[in-house]
Amino acid sequence: MHAAVYDHPGEPGVFRFIPVADPQPGRDDVLIAVEAISIEGGDLINRRLVAPPADNHIVGYAAAGTIIAVGADVTDRKVGDRVTSFDMSGSHATKRAVPASRTWHVPDKVDMTAAAALPISFGTAHHCLFARGGLVAGETVLIHAAAGGVGLAAVQLADRAGAKVIAVVSASERQERLRALGADHVIDRKQQDVAEEVMRITGGSGAELVVDPVGSTLNQSLSMLAPEGRLVFVGNAGGGDLAANLWPAMQANQSLLGVFMGPLLERPVVHATVDDMLADVANGDLQVVIERVFPLAQAADAHAFAETGKPLGRVIMTP
């Protein structure tokens, strides 16, 4: 098979597109002929900062395709099944071996590009909003980085749950698209003071729930949180230390809740929510927003665009 590999962390130019040995599925694995790869935030961080465990390392969390082999102990997947998958590495390749428990069947009406992007973005958004954030109808939720994959998913899911949705973005031209997906208010953080706008919108009370995948905005998020509100922080896209002044949060009886989806997606309840949302995409009830598709051979260009191009939604690669 071919894969985008690298030997040391760094800028996107560290990638080389070369032939490598096919992965061998274990007893609990399936082997997938990859058709679409979703570039996730963790892929960018790992490539940029984390030393690979071996030469010719294949990075990547998310890929969708067709099963071409199954392990001896796999009973609920078969050759020919269309699946999307999650694992901690190995997506940036034309074939992928992954535990069957980390795959989901893809409905016939769902395109593979959408299927590749859905488990992490929508699975994360759903967990942040409901399992951790406890969002209920009528509450106000503030979503940072709302133009990203998790943000766009969170906007749709929160709107569908009957919440009032405030979306924060970094470009005003994205506002109409976000409103169409369910945002009640859109704040351009480059043109407006986010905290002032949130307090104006909420009449000074703040948001009951804040979803923050940025990290560097934690103190700002706390300042916009209602008394007894919940802040769910998921990732550190802004870089730097995850530092926050917690004294005001304690006085306001606020809750801080961390989410890291890596060990959670295999849990039966979480796994089932992804199945449900794939069905919702098939029925037209949810949209997976794809900004651009690159060939896998151009992984360096794809990563560079994902990092600096300010995409609306996910960047996808195809073999």
Side-chain angles (χ1 to χ4, degrees):
M1 70 175 187
H2 280 73
V5 306
Y6 65 102
D7 299 329
H8 56 85
E11 297 302 313
V14 298
F15 277 125
R16 294 176 292 118
F17 187 66
I18 62 171
V20 296
D22 285 7
Q24 299 301 310
R27 298 183 66 86
D28 297 315
D29 296 343
V30 295
L31 181 63
I32 301 168
V34 172
E35 298 172 42
I37 301 148
S38 177
I39 299 178
E40 302 294 328
D43 301 344
L44 303 175
I45 293 170
N46 287 336
R47 187 223 70 234
R48 187 170 64 244
L49 300 175
V50 180
D55 290 344
N56 294 340
H57 179 61
I58 304 171
V59 75
Y61 290 166
T66 301
I67 294 177
I68 55 176
V70 298
D73 293 339
V74 176
T75 60
D76 58 350
R77 301 287 185 269
K78 66 182 185 302
V79 171
D81 283 352
R82 301 171 76 238
V83 296
T84 186
S85 68
F86 160 82
D87 208 351
M88 298 307 294
S89 62
S91 76
H92 286 33
T94 57
K95 295 178 184 177
R96 183 185 209 191
V98 64
S101 59
R102 297 179 187 175
T103 67
W104 295 263
H105 283 113
V106 177
D108 290 340
K109 293 182 180 180
V110 177
D111 183 83
M112 283 300 197
T113 57
L118 184 139
I120 293 176
S121 58
F122 278 81
T124 300
H126 191 282
H127 198 75
C128 289
L129 290 171
F130 305 113
R132 298 293 276 163
L135 182 67
V136 297
E139 290 189 316
T140 296
V141 56
L142 172 68
I143 300 168
H144 284 284
V150 172
L152 289 166
V155 166
Q156 295 179 67
L157 294 171
D159 173 64
R160 191 168 68 166
K164 183 178 183 180
V165 181
I166 305 174
V168 180
V169 296
S170 61
S172 57
E173 64 268 17
R174 299 171 175 176
Q175 293 196 21
E176 288 309 310
R177 186 65 186 278
L178 282 159
R179 291 182 192 278
L181 291 171
D184 297 287
H185 302 274
V186 183
I187 301 172
D188 182 346
R189 65 177 178 82
K190 291 191 173 182
Q191 302 295 328
Q192 299 167 285
D193 184 295
V194 176
E196 286 184 4
E197 281 298 298
V198 170
M199 289 304 168
R200 181 189 65 80
I201 292 166
T202 62
S205 62
E208 284 89 0
L209 175 63
V210 176
V211 177
D212 189 340
V214 180
S216 58
T217 53
L218 283 180
N219 281 298
Q220 182 189 61
S221 293
L222 285 168
S223 75
M224 299 181 289
L225 196 61
E228 300 186 49
R230 296 90 64 199
L231 167 59
V232 178
F233 57 102
V234 51
N236 188 20
D241 294 331
L242 292 177
N245 177 13
L246 297 181
W247 180 247
M250 184 191 72
Q251 291 180 309
N253 293 293
Q254 294 164 338
S255 301
L256 279 71
L257 304 140
V259 169
F260 177 67
M261 288 303 292
L264 302 180
L265 283 167
E266 283 184 283
R267 290 186 180 177
V269 172
V270 179
H271 196 279
T273 65
V274 174
D275 283 323
D276 292 341
M277 290 184 288
L278 282 164
D280 289 336
V281 172
N283 295 331
D285 296 328
L286 293 173
Q287 297 180 44
V288 180
V289 180
I290 305 299
E291 172 73 10
R292 189 170 170 185
V293 179
F294 288 81
L296 177 57
Q298 297 176 16
D301 294 336
H303 269 234
F305 180 74
E307 286 184 321
T308 64
K310 299 187 182 301
L312 180 69
R314 283 290 186 245
V315 177
I316 300 294
M317 298 185 294
T318 56

